[in-house]
Amino acid sequence: MIKVCIIGIITVLTAVFLKDIKTEYGICAGVCGSLILVYIAVTKFSGIMDIISNFTRYIDTDAEYVFTLIKMIGIAFTAEFSSNMCKDVGYSSVAAQIELIGKLSILLISAPIVEALLNTIFTFIG
């Protein structure tokens, strides 16, 4: 975590310094630093995948549900990252659209899980 914080601080300081020289350079420095941090996050994600696969061994669930959950998390992180990038460069309307499409994508992907949940509830009730 210390490495991530140092990279973040260096990125911000470099972006602020380069922004004084030329605005585009500051934006590029911020994007490059953010991409490095996303790469670090993705490499850490493999450890999370191992933990989730261990959970599926103990809980009797369909692997498709776990895969769908992972896709939803990925969509949420990707949408948030992209949205924040757009906000940083001053395009808040594009950021809002990215967030909306991300939410709609998650809703669409989660529909089969909600349907299975409702079927289970109705099986218990009736």
Side-chain angles (χ1 to χ4, degrees), residues 41 43-54 70 73 77:
T43 57
K44 303 263 185 212
F45 192 68
S46 65
I48 295 170
M49 291 295 297
D50 293 338
I51 292 170
I52 291 173
S53 67
N54 286 338
I70 292 169
I73 292 169
F77 284 147

Side-chain angles (χ1 to χ4, degrees), residues 65-121:
Y65 296 142
V66 175
F67 181 68
T68 302
L69 177 65
I70 292 169
K71 283 172 50 176
M72 290 188 312
I73 292 169
I75 290 170
F77 284 147
T78 304
E80 182 178 0
F81 173 76
S82 302
S83 172
N84 287 337
M85 280 298 184
C86 292
K87 286 177 186 175
D88 284 347
V89 296
Y91 291 97
S92 59
S93 62
V94 175
Q97 292 170 356
I98 290 172
E99 290 173 359
L100 176 66
I101 293 170
K103 291 172 186 174
L104 291 173
S105 298
I106 290 172
L107 182 63
L108 181 65
I109 288 175
S110 67
I113 294 176
V114 172
E115 182 182 8
L117 178 63
L118 290 175
N119 287 337
T120 303
I121 290 171

